[in-house]
């Protein structure tokens, strides 16, 4: 029987460990600052989670005591990072494992540390922990875990949190029960990680020392952990980086949210490109596992455009391969991948781990896939061990620039934008969130998930009865429907009592028609807040 997940903590009345799970990550409130958001990722909780991970790791690695296992710990720029780093270090050494501290690091680097063969840098480690909450507000933080098999899955995180809840009861969090002999050492692992990125570009460009000489490329790190890319990757390759911005780590994120999907963030990097007359702009999220770009004309290359670009690059290298994406990608992207590039588009579920695992599964059954990428900017390549690495995605773009220069092709980012020429993009693209009120009597004791599934079932029935609408023949998540020259997808959120609705169409009028089709089903469920959809169909 699983251990109870609700325990008391010295800094709070109770901590529900299950509520710290966010898919394949752990996320919580680490510091006070926002009303109504009590701290639940305390130092004792973090220590318990780290000890639980160490326990889990010892089992998975079948450690026999002949050597101590080691765990690397890195963090992004959040203001709670150092405090949690100390707590996590105590938790790992408490379990009898060695700790290797990396300080400010990126999530991709942490996974790489389980693969790198370098005794001087104490690699490979047996496990890695990244302290991050991606682009969430400054008061949040969390953990991502890795072994040399990749990132942990949902079931692993659930197991670790159950262990942590039990572990939390047995100690005070003062480190007094650390096992004798465990060590804590600090190394500059990011030096290896960045060197590997630089060497990848040099190798692909015929071993030129400075294959990007003459290119002006600006970086926006959003005050997260990605500031290294300008000085440690671009400049050694010969690029000019003046005009790069928000490279200094600042956990309050004073300039904009470090998120390549955020409009303000994309506006900031676009303006930097135009102001500096740069050839290319690159923007990262907080922990550098997501990225996007801006070409010299100020056109954004994120979401479907980034997927199209990466698909073009990968299909040049691996003709006819399958591109795996999440569920909200556009019909125009499918046409681009399959008709123009000659590949296959396999649209799967939301969640970067879902997309990556599906690509791995396809390869295991003989269907070649080399790219798994989410609309959010998470992108993983088979050649890079299926690691969702925003910096590596940008390296693939740099290689295209360097190759074009070596062949004497026109400068700037034209070689990149030419690759996505012909991508059909919708005139209207919206995402609306329909929230389920879990306290509404219409739930009648059902969970929000059961209620949401009932909404989807009714919508599916209505679509089947409407000759103007057609349900997608292959679909892995929610209800996806084509009609009126566009499409919509209504799905149930992975974690929250929300039904996100995506609509794309070639006109506002057609988008409204699709919205009304969804509203016909949604109006039958009083616990569903349809205000966002009501406003969309009324004001359009």
């Amino acid at each position: 029987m699983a251990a109870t997940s609700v325990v008391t903590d010295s800094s709070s009345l109770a901590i529900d460990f299950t509520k710290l799970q966010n898919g394949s990550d752990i996320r919580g409130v680490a510091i006070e600052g926002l009303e109504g958001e009590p701290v639940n990722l305390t130092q004792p909780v973090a220590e318990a989670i780290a000890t639980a991970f160490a326990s889990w790791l010892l089992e998975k690695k079948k450690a026999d005591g002949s050597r101590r296992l080691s765990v690397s710990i890195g963090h992004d720029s959040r203001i709670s990072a150092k405090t949690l780093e100390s707590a996590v270090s105590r938790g790992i050494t408490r379990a009898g494992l060695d700790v290797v501290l990396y300080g400010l690091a990126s999530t991709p680097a942490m996974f790489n540390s389980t693969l790198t063969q370098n005794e001087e840098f104490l690699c490979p480690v047996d496990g890695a922990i990244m302290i991050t909450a991606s682009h969430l507000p400054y008061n949040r933080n969390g953990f991502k875990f890795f072994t040399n098999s990749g990132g942990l899955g949902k079931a692993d995180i659930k197991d670790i949190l159950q262990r942590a809840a039990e572990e939390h009861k047995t100690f005070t969090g003062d480190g007094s029960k650390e096992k004798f002999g465990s060590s804590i050492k600090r190394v500059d692992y990011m030096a290896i990680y960045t060197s590997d990125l630089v060497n990848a570009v040099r190798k692909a460009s015929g071993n030129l020392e400075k294959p990007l000489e003459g290119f002006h490329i600006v970086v926006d790190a959003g005050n997260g952990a990605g500031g290294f890319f300008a000085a440690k990757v671009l400049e050694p390759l010969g690029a000019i980086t003046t005009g790069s911005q928000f490279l200094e780590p600042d956990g309050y994120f004073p300039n904009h949210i470090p998120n390549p999907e955020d409009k303000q963030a994309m506006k900031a990097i676009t303006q930097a490109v135009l102001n500096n007359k740069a050839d290319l702009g690159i923007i990262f999220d907080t922990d550098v596992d997501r990225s996007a770009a801006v070409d010299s004309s100020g056109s954004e290359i994120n979401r479907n455009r980034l997927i199209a670009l990466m698909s073009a690059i990968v299909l040049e290298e691996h003709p006819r391969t399958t591109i795996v994406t999440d569920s909200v990608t556009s019909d125009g992207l499918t046409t681009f991948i399959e008709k123009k590039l000659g590949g296959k588009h396999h649209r799967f579920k939301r969640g970067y781990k879902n997309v990556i695992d599906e690509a791995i599964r396809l390869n295991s059954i003989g269907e070649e896939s080399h790219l798994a990428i989410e609309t959010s900017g998470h992108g993983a390549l088979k050649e890079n061990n299926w690691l969702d690495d925003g910096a590596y995605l940008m390296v693939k773009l740099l290689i295209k620039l360097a190759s074009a220069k070596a062949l004497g092709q026109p400068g700037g980012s034209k070689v990149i934008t030419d690759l996505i020429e012909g991508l059909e993009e919708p005139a209207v693209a919206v995402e609306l969130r329909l929230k389920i009120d879990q306290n509404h009597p219409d739930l009648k004791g059902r969970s929000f998930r059961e209620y949401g599934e009932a909404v989807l079932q009714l919508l599916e029935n209505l679509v089947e009865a409407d000759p103007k609408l057609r349900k997608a023949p292959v679909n892995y998540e929610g209800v996806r429907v084509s009609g009126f020259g566009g499409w919509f997808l209504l799905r149930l959120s992975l974690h929250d009592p929300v039904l996100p609705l995506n609509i794309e169409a070639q006109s506002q009028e057609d988008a409204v028609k699709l919205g009304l089709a969804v509203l016909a089903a949604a109006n039958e469920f009083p616990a569903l807040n349809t205000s966002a959809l009501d406003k969309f169909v009324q004001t359009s």
Side-chain angles (χ1 to χ4, degrees):
M1 183 176 176
T4 179
S5 60
V6 180
V7 294
T8 57
D9 187 272
S10 58
S11 61
S12 180
L13 292 177
I15 300 293
D16 186 346
F17 277 70
T18 62
K19 290 187 175 178
L20 293 171
Q21 181 162 6
N22 186 276
S24 53
D25 301 339
I26 287 174
R27 290 180 181 174
V29 179
I31 59 170
E32 296 178 352
L34 294 180
E35 188 176 349
E37 296 191 10
V39 173
N40 59 0
L41 193 57
T42 63
Q43 288 190 61
V45 166
E47 184 174 341
I49 290 171
T51 302
F53 172 62
S55 167
W56 177 91
L57 190 63
L58 286 164
E59 286 184 14
K60 293 296 178 181
K61 295 289 183 179
K62 296 181 172 58
D64 59 7
S66 60
R67 70 175 183 89
R68 273 200 305 274
L69 301 187
S70 62
V71 174
S72 59
I73 302 172
H75 60 77
D76 66 19
S77 59
R78 292 175 181 278
I79 57 178
S80 56
K82 287 294 185 183
T83 300
L84 290 180
E85 179 191 70
S86 297
V88 170
S89 298
R90 290 195 300 270
I92 297 299
T93 55
R94 171 186 170 81
L97 279 63
D98 288 339
V99 168
V100 188
L101 300 177
Y102 290 172
L104 187 70
S106 71
T107 290
M110 299 313 297
F111 172 43
N112 271 2
S113 70
T114 69
L115 303 173
T116 299
Q117 300 286 335
N118 190 310
E119 290 185 9
E120 181 185 350
F121 285 82
L122 310 178
C123 290
V125 292
D126 299 287
I129 301 175
M130 177 65 178
I131 303 172
T132 182
S134 189
H135 61 279
L136 292 182
Y138 74 92
N139 65 326
R140 310 291 184 88
N141 218 325
F143 308 117
K144 295 181 180 181
F145 303 91
F146 301 93
T147 68
N148 58 1
S149 298
L152 272 59
K154 292 180 185 177
D156 300 319
I157 300 300
K158 183 178 180 181
D159 180 4
I160 288 169
L161 286 173
Q162 287 174 343
R163 293 172 189 245
E166 196 63 28
E167 184 69 34
H168 188 274
K169 303 172 184 176
T170 68
F171 65 100
T172 61
D174 60 3
S176 60
K177 294 187 180 179
E178 291 176 10
K179 290 193 176 178
F180 179 76
S182 294
S183 68
I184 299 178
K185 296 179 180 177
R186 188 175 293 274
V187 301
D188 180 18
Y189 179 77
M190 288 300 290
I192 288 186
Y193 173 73
T194 54
S195 176
D196 286 345
L197 295 177
V198 169
N199 289 335
V201 180
R202 285 175 175 159
K203 182 179 179 182
S205 60
N207 294 316
L208 291 174
E209 180 72 14
K210 297 193 173 184
L212 296 179
E213 196 161 26
F215 284 104
H216 189 172
I217 303 173
V218 295
V219 174
D220 185 327
N223 302 112
F228 68 85
F229 201 80
K232 298 294 179 66
V233 178
L234 292 173
E235 290 176 14
L237 291 169
I240 301 164
T241 63
T242 53
S244 292
Q245 60 192 18
F246 318 139
L247 305 182
E248 289 300 314
D250 186 336
Y252 285 107
F253 311 122
N255 295 292
H256 61 71
I257 297 170
N259 180 2
E261 284 192 290
D262 181 70
K263 290 181 179 178
Q264 184 184 354
M266 291 306 296
K267 183 178 180 181
I269 181 60
T270 298
Q271 201 58 53
V273 168
L274 296 175
N275 289 348
N276 291 279
K277 296 181 173 57
D279 297 304
L280 187 71
I282 292 173
I283 185 169
F284 296 110
D285 77 337
T286 319
D287 58 327
V288 201
D289 57 3
R290 294 188 296 137
S291 59
V294 173
D295 71 14
S296 56
S297 70
S299 294
E300 297 176 5
I301 306 174
N302 63 350
R303 298 181 63 79
N304 281 283
R305 290 169 63 83
L306 179 63
I307 298 174
L309 177 57
M310 292 308 303
S311 297
I313 291 172
V314 167
L315 280 159
E316 278 185 354
E317 300 167 351
H318 306 282
R320 297 181 298 282
T321 195
T322 295
I323 308 298
V324 181
T325 73
D326 60 346
S327 60
V328 301
T329 47
S330 72
D331 288 349
L333 178 67
T334 302
T335 301
F336 182 76
I337 290 173
E338 298 190 347
K339 303 299 183 185
K340 176 162 187 186
L341 301 180
K344 179 180 176 183
H345 183 195
H346 182 84
R347 189 184 284 118
F348 197 57
K349 300 175 183 177
R350 286 282 272 179
Y352 69 92
K353 195 73 168 64
N354 288 331
V355 174
I356 292 170
D357 287 347
E358 180 67 359
I360 293 171
R361 185 191 71 81
L362 290 178
N363 280 287
S364 74
I365 61 171
E367 182 174 341
E368 183 188 78
S369 177
H370 287 268
L371 174 65
I373 185 166
E374 258 206 318
T375 316
S376 65
H378 281 287
L381 291 149
K382 184 179 181 182
E383 70 185 55
N384 194 37
N385 301 296
W386 290 118
L387 169 62
D388 58 316
D389 186 343
Y392 194 82
L393 285 193
M394 293 300 105
V395 159
K396 296 293 284 186
L397 303 196
L398 299 181
I399 289 171
K400 292 302 295 183
L401 291 179
S403 300
K405 181 190 173 191
L407 293 172
Q409 294 176 1
S413 55
K414 188 176 186 301
V415 64
I416 289 174
T417 49
D418 282 354
L419 287 173
I420 55 175
E421 186 179 350
L423 173 66
E424 299 171 13
E425 300 189 74
V428 180
V430 296
E431 179 170 296
L432 308 171
R433 295 172 67 81
L434 313 183
K435 295 183 179 180
I436 299 171
D437 179 358
Q438 297 183 80
N439 298 316
H440 197 286
D442 195 50
L443 265 69
K444 298 170 184 170
R446 290 176 288 179
S447 68
F448 80 81
R449 187 158 293 280
E450 291 173 305
Y451 196 79
E453 293 291 353
V455 177
L456 295 176
Q457 185 59 61
L458 177 60
L459 177 59
E460 193 169 330
N461 294 342
L462 293 177
V463 166
E464 288 175 350
D466 189 335
K468 295 177 182 176
L469 300 174
R470 186 174 68 91
K471 196 173 73 166
V474 179
N475 184 49
Y476 295 92
E477 184 172 43
V479 179
R480 187 179 178 109
V481 174
S482 297
F484 304 108
W487 61 272
F488 71 74
L489 171 69
L490 184 69
R491 61 186 176 86
L492 189 56
S493 170
L494 295 173
H495 317 296
D496 304 314
V498 173
L499 287 161
L501 170 63
N502 291 84
I503 300 175
E504 289 191 3
Q506 291 307 320
S507 72
Q508 198 73 21
E509 182 182 357
D510 288 335
V512 168
K513 290 176 183 177
L514 292 168
L516 287 169
V518 176
L519 197 57
N523 280 338
E524 298 298 316
F525 293 85
L528 194 61
N529 184 342
T530 62
S531 58
L533 181 54
D534 291 333
K535 183 178 179 181
F536 176 73
V537 300
Q538 289 167 6
T539 60
S540 299

